[in-house]
Amino acid sequence: MILLTRAHYFVMRFVPNPRFSFAFALCGVIALCARGTEPAITAPSIDFLDRHCLLCHDAVERKGNLNLESFLEKPFDAEALLVWTKVHDRVSAGEMPPKKRKRRPAADESASFVDGLATAISTFESDKIARQGRSLKRRLNRYEYENAVRDLLGNPILSIRDSLPEDTVAYGFNKVGEALDVSHVQIARYLGAADDALRQTIAPRLEAPPSETRRYYTWQQGRGFVKSIGPQLRKTFPVVGVDLQVDLVASGNPDLESKSHLNLGEHSVPGREELEAVVMLQSTYEPAHVRFERFRAPVTALYRLRLSGYGVWMSPDYKQTSRGRTVEPVSIYASTITRNLRKLADFDFNPDPSVQEVEVWLRAGETIQPDAVRLVRSRPPDFKNPLQEADGMPGVAFQWMEVDGPLLDQWPTAGHRLLFGDIPLREVPLAAASESQPAAAKDKRGPTTRIEVVSSDPTADADRLMRGFVAKAFRRVPNEAEIQSFLALVHRARDAGFSFQDAMIAGYTAVLASPGFLYFQGEPGRLDGSGLAERLAFFLWNSPPDDTLRALAADGSLLEPKVLRAQVDRLLDDPKAMRFVEAFLDYWLDLREIDSSSPDGNLYPEYQLDEHLAESLEKETQLTFAEFLRRDLGAAAFVDTDFAVINGRLADHYGIPDVEGALLRPVALPADHVRGGFLTQGSVLKVTANGTTTSPVLRGVWIMEKILGHHIPPPPPGVGAVESDTRGATTIREELAKHSTQESCNACHRTIDPPGFALESFDVMGAWRDQYRSVGEGTPVAGAGHHGQKFIYKLAQPVDASGTVEGVGEFTDIRGFKQALLKDPERIARNLTEQFLVYATGAPVRFSDRPAVNRILEQTRASRHGLRSLLHALVQSEPFLIK
């Protein structure tokens, strides 16, 4: 804590302050915006407005709450720019003046007004961009900061994002400079996260842990639960092959009736270990589970895991097992001592024994817990196994786990060597260690020594190491003053009595919270090589440029269009591109909100505790986007495709036959199926619902804004939300019909309701429905959910998914609505291009960007606006290439 405070103090006083930099920049922006002294609107435009607009939009009438008089004589500012852009667009589209007016301007008169207004807006914006740049200088957001520190320290599972404050969203993303301010509180949090990350990077032992292969048998892991409270399936069943060991379960051995568990390892037979297994008839349930607790990762590193197992079939009386009948999906998790779980991978066990291999990163101290995710996740008091049939039920037999690792390239690791080079590690008595150590570490009952980096020449080593670290951390060439300021902190820490290791950590912490690391670089004008490399990497990797990009930036070749194009392909083909996919979709499609609500336990009991479904929904959308990138699929694919990226669980959810297993992969859809594209994916349908009901309004707004790029204004003050009737007496369509009788409401609802109605055939988790669910009126439904609890909901009013799209025509269901959208795929491509532009540059799409967007669409028309083609064209565009 002392070091953290010192580092914080240093950054605030001696390093150019990010908060002050932002405030200064903001003041500069305000000053620049105020430079204009001439009225923004010219005399001919004022004449047009006086004759055709001010009759309704003056200080008296203020129709639509718009007073154009107030903007006539003053220069452009942010508010005026927004207003005049809307005026331009409404007049250009022929929507204003209203068509019902008797005296409307001639076509050439309107065209002249529109051209003049466009010139005025573009001239103002171009001048402003030339002076201060298209985007404000901004800090890294939480995603980018975590990835930057991960790459720098060589730890791909370093987790610091959640310890940082939430980023403000503007224009749909967490990347816009005007929203990413910096406060003292935020700097303190960055310092804390950096300190924690750096300390995790220091080698915890003198010698490398041996890389070895060890096998862990399930019988020898600990307790086997031979008896449990409640139904039989809530315990573990020891088998040899497919033969149930009835003498080791309470129901088959009276001597065990008084026991809840026994040590299966004591009953293992030498030479038979390969055939011994533990059967689970349910998904993970504490304390009956399989956990390989005799293994704990010695250090944070990459490990190769092999797990052996197979599916079984248990008789209804729990006295006999036989070979399984289908593929059984299995998820594996890293588990801490406190039982926190972190998802690692999915694979399948077959009816015949098989060995599945995965490579995973594990944190020091983590163990492995597998989970048979298809099986019931039982919860008391009474429950029914939904997978049980007349002759029995499925289960999964876990035999053993084999671990190779840790798989280390070197020791200490590359991250440690970046911090301390080849300076030796020593075992140091705690009395001689830094006073910054916690008191508990010095307790007589605890350890008496610790491993620490010990320098024989601290001054020279600090200088050499700090220069190397700053050069690697900064995405530009650091200047000498910056390096000396960080070294000054190290020397002051050492003078205060801190060890060499802790003093260096204090200096490195300051580096990771300084503007050179925390802020994007670049000056107004065209980006130089390093600025372009930085923008490109944070666009397509959501993380800093690698050595290849840095080298191309240094020699200037990255500025060549052919080289830049080749680098775009390289970055998109790299596994790091999934960082772009995940971060972009988190905000464009709101996937980050997927866990913000849970399905109502009464109305949707079948979804309770079904984590495999929830995880698959999110992954489907991410892998679909990645597939579009790989195949350069066009904008129309975002609305509809003839395939879906699914696994067995999603296939069952969507009603698609003949798909099994945990692996998500492209699957051809049956003819005329409603899936395909993003609109009908379960993740999208979940984030646009609240867990209890669906709202055509919310889903309609989502489609208009996220897919079509049409901003919907908020409802007028005092207008309440329209709620669905969960009693089953009325439908949401009937409620909206009453609501929309008000003219002020109907103006928007006639645009947003039809897309929402088209999605009414899908419930809160995206499953198809023909009727709404109710807890009141309706027909009762029988069955049990994934958690084993009986259904209690009822089927009530039928769903009506029909509607009318203005200017296109009527539709009867989602199929017809998709066809209506596909009549204008370029509208979808335009919106997608603008979304990419905001995400890539950290600035909103301005009026003056419209010609560049049009050129991108022209250049990609031959590929039907393919996703990869759009990215290539955008990266070569003027807005991307200037700061």
Side-chain angles (χ1 to χ4, degrees):
M1 182 59 69
I2 294 173
L3 282 179
L4 176 61
T5 303
R6 289 179 180 273
H8 187 186
Y9 170 80
F10 169 77
V11 171
M12 292 295 98
R13 183 173 181 185
F14 297 100
V15 178
N17 191 305
R19 182 189 181 195
F20 296 156
S21 299
F22 175 80
F24 181 80
L26 186 59
C27 291
V29 170
I30 293 172
L32 288 172
C33 288
R35 284 184 184 178
T37 56
E38 297 299 322
I41 305 302
T42 60
S45 295
I46 293 176
D47 180 61
F48 179 93
L49 291 165
D50 186 53
R51 286 184 290 110
H52 300 292
C53 304
L54 295 181
L55 183 65
C56 297
H57 300 294
D58 62 359
V60 177
E61 292 295 327
R62 298 176 62 93
K63 284 195 175 181
N65 198 32
L66 176 61
N67 174 16
L68 289 178
E69 273 188 321
S70 64
F71 294 99
L72 286 180
E73 296 299 326
K74 71 176 186 178
F76 278 142
D77 58 15
E79 183 185 10
L81 203 63
L82 184 63
V83 169
W84 291 124
T85 299
K86 288 182 177 179
V87 170
H88 171 278
D89 292 347
R90 299 293 293 277
V91 175
S92 179
E95 298 174 5
M96 286 290 165
K99 294 181 180 180
K100 63 183 179 181
R101 287 193 59 183
K102 293 182 179 179
R103 192 184 73 170
R104 302 188 77 245
D108 59 343
E109 187 181 5
S110 291
S112 177
F113 170 75
V114 167
D115 289 345
L117 196 53
T119 299
I121 295 172
S122 296
T123 299
F124 171 79
E125 288 188 345
S126 297
D127 180 60
K128 185 177 179 181
I129 290 171
R131 286 185 276 106
Q132 69 181 50
R134 186 178 171 279
S135 58
L136 289 177
K137 193 168 187 176
R138 73 165 178 92
R139 63 169 171 83
L140 305 183
N141 62 37
R142 297 194 313 159
Y143 289 60
E144 295 164 335
Y145 188 82
E146 180 179 77
N147 287 334
V149 176
R150 282 177 170 181
D151 289 359
L152 179 67
L153 302 181
N155 184 348
I157 57 172
L158 188 65
S159 180
I160 57 177
R161 183 195 308 175
D162 291 341
S163 65
L164 300 174
E166 285 278 359
D167 298 309
T168 305
V169 176
Y171 303 98
F173 293 97
N174 62 340
K175 288 194 172 234
V176 177
E178 62 194 64
L180 294 177
D181 59 345
V182 176
S183 67
H184 284 280
V185 173
Q186 285 170 313
I187 287 294
R189 297 279 285 277
Y190 276 105
L191 287 165
D195 181 83
D196 182 57
L198 290 162
R199 293 189 181 281
Q200 289 185 48
T201 306
I202 301 172
R205 55 175 70 194
L206 297 177
E207 302 294 333
S211 182
E212 56 187 1
T213 299
R214 293 191 61 184
R215 182 170 292 187
Y216 301 87
Y217 295 95
T218 52
W219 275 38
Q220 298 170 4
Q221 292 310 297
R223 300 182 297 177
F225 285 81
V226 298
K227 183 180 178 180
S228 63
I229 301 172
Q232 290 268 51
L233 64 78
R234 291 177 64 187
K235 61 187 177 186
T236 53
F237 296 86
V239 297
V240 175
V242 294
D243 296 327
L244 178 63
Q245 303 300 290
V246 293
D247 59 327
L248 297 180
V249 292
S251 58
N253 187 344
D255 294 336
L256 299 180
E257 285 293 341
S258 61
K259 295 184 177 182
S260 63
H261 64 270
L262 77 164
N263 188 340
L264 287 176
E266 295 176 356
H267 299 271
S268 179
V269 177
R272 195 184 67 177
E273 297 96 332
E274 301 297 318
L275 297 177
E276 296 170 348
V278 171
V279 168
M280 296 291 298
L281 299 178
Q282 61 173 354
S283 180
T284 294
Y285 180 86
E286 301 286 353
H289 57 262
V290 172
R291 192 197 307 265
F292 293 96
E293 289 189 320
R294 294 189 182 276
F295 163 75
R296 292 282 174 182
V299 294
T300 299
L302 183 68
Y303 295 81
R304 185 178 298 112
L305 308 179
R306 300 181 190 89
L307 283 90
S308 180
Y310 48 93
V312 299
W313 191 259
M314 174 69 74
S315 63
D317 60 1
Y318 301 93
K319 293 183 178 180
Q320 185 177 357
T321 49
S322 57
R323 193 67 67 202
R325 300 177 179 180
T326 187
V327 167
E328 290 294 348
V330 173
S331 295
I332 58 171
Y333 297 85
S335 174
T336 64
I337 294 175
T338 56
R339 306 295 171 88
N340 292 323
L341 299 179
R342 182 171 60 88
K343 177 74 171 289
L344 296 176
D346 296 304
F347 53 76
D348 298 322
F349 278 150
N350 303 306
D352 293 320
S354 64
V355 177
Q356 305 299 325
E357 180 176 295
V358 294
E359 285 192 356
V360 297
W361 275 80
L362 298 177
R363 299 186 179 116
E366 287 183 327
T367 188
I368 301 299
Q369 178 172 305
D371 186 10
V373 291
R374 189 177 76 97
L375 306 184
V376 60
R377 180 162 288 187
S378 61
R379 286 298 182 267
D382 280 335
F383 65 88
K384 173 183 173 64
N385 185 351
L387 300 178
Q388 184 165 352
E389 301 178 20
D391 65 340
M393 68 209 79
V396 175
F398 296 96
Q399 293 176 283
W400 48 260
M401 178 183 74
E402 195 170 79
V403 181
D404 288 349
L407 306 177
L408 299 167
D409 295 329
Q410 57 183 334
W411 189 264
T413 62
H416 175 99
R417 290 178 182 273
L418 173 66
L419 302 180
F420 297 108
D422 57 358
I423 300 176
L425 286 159
R426 296 282 187 263
E427 193 169 14
V428 180
L430 280 180
S434 169
E435 289 300 314
S436 67
Q437 290 301 297
K442 304 173 188 177
D443 194 295
K444 294 180 180 179
R445 294 167 295 178
T448 59
T449 62
R450 75 162 180 166
I451 304 300
E452 186 168 301
V453 176
V454 178
S455 170
S456 59
D457 190 350
T459 300
D461 285 339
D463 185 87
R464 172 176 57 85
L465 293 171
M466 184 59 72
R467 289 179 184 278
F469 183 81
V470 176
K472 186 75 171 177
F474 281 15
R475 299 174 297 280
R476 58 168 172 78
V477 178
N479 59 58
E480 185 64 22
E482 290 171 316
I483 294 173
Q484 290 302 322
S485 65
F486 297 125
L487 284 171
L489 173 61
V490 175
H491 297 324
R492 282 197 296 274
R494 289 190 57 241
D495 292 343
F498 291 102
S499 69
F500 174 78
Q501 175 178 294
D502 286 339
M504 292 302 298
I505 291 298
Y508 294 148
T509 299
V511 173
L512 297 184
S514 69
F517 184 81
L518 191 58
Y519 266 67
F520 281 85
Q521 308 305 311
E523 300 299 328
R526 204 165 188 85
L527 292 171
D528 60 11
S530 61
L532 181 55
E534 181 181 60
R535 174 166 286 180
L536 183 63
F538 277 101
F539 177 30
L540 299 182
W541 279 355
N542 213 37
S543 54
D546 62 357
D547 290 342
T548 299
L549 275 179
R550 286 187 173 212
L552 293 172
D555 66 18
S557 57
L558 185 61
L559 302 175
E560 300 172 12
K562 288 184 178 180
V563 175
L564 183 57
R565 182 177 182 84
Q567 288 306 300
V568 169
D569 280 329
R570 182 179 73 86
L571 266 61
L572 288 176
D573 293 337
D574 190 278
K576 283 185 184 179
M578 282 306 296
R579 294 177 175 178
F580 158 59
V581 172
E582 293 166 4
F584 180 73
L585 295 180
D586 266 2
Y587 285 85
W588 177 45
L589 299 184
D590 292 330
L591 279 198
R592 70 190 187 282
E593 305 290 346
I594 197 164
D595 294 324
S596 63
S597 66
S598 299
D600 183 89
N602 292 325
L603 287 170
Y604 299 99
E606 71 268 44
Y607 301 136
Q608 300 306 302
L609 307 178
D610 194 346
E611 293 176 2
H612 185 45
L613 173 61
E615 292 167 351
S616 298
L617 290 176
E618 182 177 17
K619 209 66 180 174
E620 174 197 9
T621 302
Q622 294 168 348
L623 294 181
T624 298
F625 191 91
E627 184 71 6
F628 286 9
L629 267 177
R630 187 183 69 82
R631 295 166 58 175
D632 196 27
L633 294 185
F638 287 84
V639 173
D640 201 18
T641 57
D642 59 0
F643 71 93
V645 181
I646 56 176
N647 57 13
R649 181 64 188 92
L650 288 176
D652 181 63
H653 189 56
Y654 293 158
I656 300 171
D658 303 324
V659 181
E660 292 183 329
L663 177 66
L664 285 141
R665 68 275 194 190
V667 174
L669 291 171
D672 202 34
H673 203 279
V674 297
R675 305 297 169 171
F678 284 120
L679 298 183
T680 52
Q681 288 185 351
S683 63
V684 166
L685 296 161
K686 186 177 187 301
V687 299
T688 55
N690 64 14
T692 300
T693 59
T694 61
S695 168
V697 176
L698 294 179
R699 284 178 169 174
V701 169
W702 188 94
I703 290 176
M704 296 302 296
E705 294 190 343
K706 300 293 185 178
I707 304 299
L708 300 179
H710 180 68
H711 177 68
I712 303 297
V719 177
V722 180
E723 301 292 344
S724 298
D725 178 13
T726 58
R727 298 167 302 170
T730 60
T731 66
I732 185 65
R733 182 183 287 268
E734 292 169 333
E735 296 297 324
L736 278 171
K738 298 175 186 177
H739 176 80
S740 298
T741 55
Q742 305 175 51
E743 181 59 32
S744 60
C745 297
N746 188 47
C748 285
H749 278 280
R750 65 171 177 260
T751 299
I752 61 180
D753 287 356
F757 287 142
L759 298 182
E760 277 297 275
S761 294
F762 304 95
D763 70 17
V764 299
M765 289 288 281
W768 181 268
R769 65 184 176 189
D770 293 308
Q771 292 174 268
Y772 292 103
R773 295 187 179 187
S774 164
V775 292
E777 301 180 12
T779 305
V781 176
H786 186 70
H787 64 341
Q789 299 299 312
K790 295 178 181 179
F791 294 166
I792 61 173
Y793 68 87
K794 299 173 183 177
L795 293 178
Q797 301 275 5
V799 171
D800 180 359
S802 64
T804 302
V805 177
E806 287 187 334
V808 178
E810 298 180 351
F811 60 87
T812 58
D813 60 13
I814 184 61
R815 299 176 183 86
F817 178 69
K818 284 186 175 183
Q819 292 306 308
L821 289 184
L822 291 175
K823 291 181 179 180
D824 187 11
E826 190 158 298
R827 184 180 181 185
I828 300 165
R830 180 179 298 277
N831 172 61
L832 189 59
T833 301
E834 292 179 351
Q835 300 285 348
F836 282 146
L837 199 53
V838 176
Y839 180 90
T841 65
V845 177
R846 294 178 169 81
F847 186 91
S848 56
D849 292 325
R850 291 180 178 183
V853 172
N854 290 335
R855 282 192 292 273
I856 291 171
L857 294 175
E858 291 169 5
Q859 293 166 5
T860 59
R861 200 162 283 135
S863 69
R864 299 183 180 180
H865 309 299
L867 183 53
R868 185 175 286 239
S869 297
L870 282 175
L871 295 179
H872 273 298
L874 184 139
V875 168
Q876 303 278 352
S877 70
E878 188 70 13
F880 188 88
L881 296 173
I882 63 173
K883 187 267 180 183

